[in-house]
Amino acid sequence: MRESYGWVPEGVDITVPDASRVYDYALGGVHNFAVDREFWHRATAANPGAALVARANRAFLGRAVRWLVAAGVRQFLDIGSGIPTLGNVHEVAQEANPAARVIYVDVDPIAVQQSRSLLSGNPYARAIEGDLRDPEGILYHPDVLRLLDFSEPVAVLTVAVLHFVPASADPAGILKRLGDAMVSGSHLVVSHLGPDLTPEGRELQERARKLYEKTPTPVIIREPAEIVALIGPDFEILEPGVVPATAWRPDPDEADDPAQPTALVAVARKL
């Protein structure tokens, strides 16, 4: 039986799993549908480690944003932001600096609608509909130009989104076009699905990847060297480099978290 919700924008197909809604459910969110929940249960049945990867990605995002604010960054462009869940970028950034400005960008109208509802009354945070594959459409969006000043450093966040961009869409070129709009001292934050390190793990990962092939957003797994190549020569990848999310500047209470080698992350500074 088809679910019916008054908050669903017209034209959104809730009979097909959507990556942002699946991720929302994986993180404990409520803005998802039966088809998304069923897909996630199949994915975790195929690869039981998927839930830990999702949580490791989210924890990395919070640490990266806190680190960037401490480094003096006060502008954030979160592309592929998904549906609002606990520990949103604006919550983390504005707790550290109330003047921090945040733009959320997602291709999913539900993610944008829910973000706008969450941000109501917050003058320093907005959400827009946009596609990573059209960086100029994001960079020149009126809301982006009103809130962000690209003559000053900006942190562009691409967390758990680039692995949905195939080689045919030129992900390296997309990041280059975003980087061209960023002044020296800006930052690029990346998390990307990488290969498991064991034969058993790779077999489980491949089962889950094949499930995503049946959705509008197939997953591409890339090696660390390929992620370095995506980031390109215009950025300096900061220590500790391209590493598992759990290994990127972990908080003391996270030091014993199980390693997640398939959740590869990096923070890079624009030269």
Side-chain angles (χ1 to χ4, degrees), residues 46-212:
N47 183 9
L52 292 175
V53 170
R55 290 196 287 272
N57 256 317
R58 193 66 177 185
F60 159 72
L61 174 62
R63 294 196 307 275
V65 170
R66 286 192 294 273
W67 184 88
L68 288 163
V69 174
V73 178
R74 65 181 191 91
Q75 301 189 105
F76 296 85
L77 180 60
D78 186 0
I79 304 177
S81 54
I83 295 173
T85 54
L86 185 65
N88 292 294
V89 172
H90 75 280
E91 293 174 335
V92 176
Q94 291 176 355
E95 181 180 13
N97 181 352
R101 297 167 182 257
V102 178
I103 291 281
Y104 292 108
V105 184
D106 204 275
V107 72
D108 177 20
I110 291 177
V112 175
Q113 177 176 292
Q114 294 303 311
S115 295
R116 286 173 175 165
S117 176
L118 176 73
L119 300 173
S120 177
N122 188 328
Y124 294 144
R126 295 177 185 170
I128 67 167
E129 190 171 337
D131 191 329
L132 175 62
R133 294 168 296 182
D134 177 22
E136 287 77 20
I138 295 170
L139 294 168
Y140 293 103
H141 190 284
D143 284 351
V144 174
L145 295 176
R146 277 192 289 266
L147 195 64
L148 303 184
D149 180 357
F150 282 88
S151 69
E152 296 182 358
V154 176
V156 173
L157 314 178
T158 60
V159 175
V161 64
L162 284 166
H163 49 233
F164 296 117
V165 181
S168 59
D170 189 16
I174 290 169
L175 294 185
K176 174 69 166 61
R177 288 149 67 189
L178 288 168
D180 287 345
M182 300 158 66
V183 298
S184 177
S186 295
H187 289 77
L188 175 68
V189 177
V190 172
S191 81
H192 196 295
L193 190 63
D196 202 286
L197 302 181
T198 68
E200 297 80 7
R202 286 194 291 272
E203 181 179 348
L204 294 174
Q205 187 181 49
E206 180 63 11
R207 291 179 187 173
R209 189 193 66 78
K210 286 183 177 178
L211 287 175
Y212 274 93

